[in-house]
């Protein structure tokens, strides 16, 4: 089911979040995507067109830790210095392969990690 739904769900959710924020994929400073599989971060780059250096991938470090993937990826982004005041962060998460969500966050301060 993941194979059938992953791309259309990501395209739809990300396009909606970007449109609601009045930005384009190129305006995203950091893409925090849940990474339930080893290939998912690169897949997210391929689907969205967001550069690989802006996508965070915790999978090699923590594998699939379910709901903790998003905060893990956000912390990695912060530790890499990607989360700065004024940064535009796109979040995307796929749920149990039949739901998904995306949102855009504009940081007003550093996370300080």
């Amino acid at each position: 089911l993941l194979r059938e739904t992953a791309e259309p769900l990501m395209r739809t959710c990300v396009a909606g979040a970007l449109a609601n924020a009045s930005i384009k994929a190129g305006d995203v400073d950091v893409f925090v995507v849940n990474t339930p599989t080893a290939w998912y971060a690169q897949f997210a780059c391929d689907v969205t067109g967001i550069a690989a250096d802006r996508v965070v991938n915790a999978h090699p470090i923590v594998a699939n830790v379910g709901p903790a993937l998003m905060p893990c990826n956000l912390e990695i982004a912060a530790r890499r210095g990607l989360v700065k005041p004024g940064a535009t962060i796109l979040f995307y998460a796929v749920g149990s392969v039949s739901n998904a969500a995306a949102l855009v966050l504009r940081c007003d301060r550093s996370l300080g990690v």
Side-chain angles (χ1 to χ4, degrees):
L1 189 56
L2 180 61
R3 186 179 313 226
E4 295 171 20
T5 62
E7 185 172 344
L9 285 173
M10 185 178 290
R11 285 191 190 284
T12 299
C13 289
V14 166
L18 294 175
N20 285 337
S22 300
I23 64 171
K24 297 185 182 333
D27 298 325
V28 172
D29 296 307
V30 184
F31 188 15
V32 176
V33 60
N34 68 333
T35 47
T37 65
W39 52 264
Y40 207 79
Q42 185 58 53
F43 169 77
C45 294
D46 295 343
V47 170
T48 64
I50 295 173
D53 64 341
R54 296 174 186 234
V55 179
V56 183
N57 184 8
H59 195 275
I61 301 165
V62 298
N64 185 351
V65 289
L69 282 169
M70 296 299 281
C72 287
N73 279 324
L74 183 58
E75 181 183 12
I76 290 168
R79 288 183 182 272
R80 290 183 184 164
L82 298 173
V83 182
K84 302 173 185 169
T88 299
I89 304 171
L90 172 63
F91 291 87
Y92 175 79
V94 62
S96 57
V97 297
S98 62
N99 59 55
L103 71 94
V104 172
L105 175 78
R106 290 191 177 102
C107 276
D108 65 351
R109 61 179 170 247
S110 173
L111 292 182
V113 291

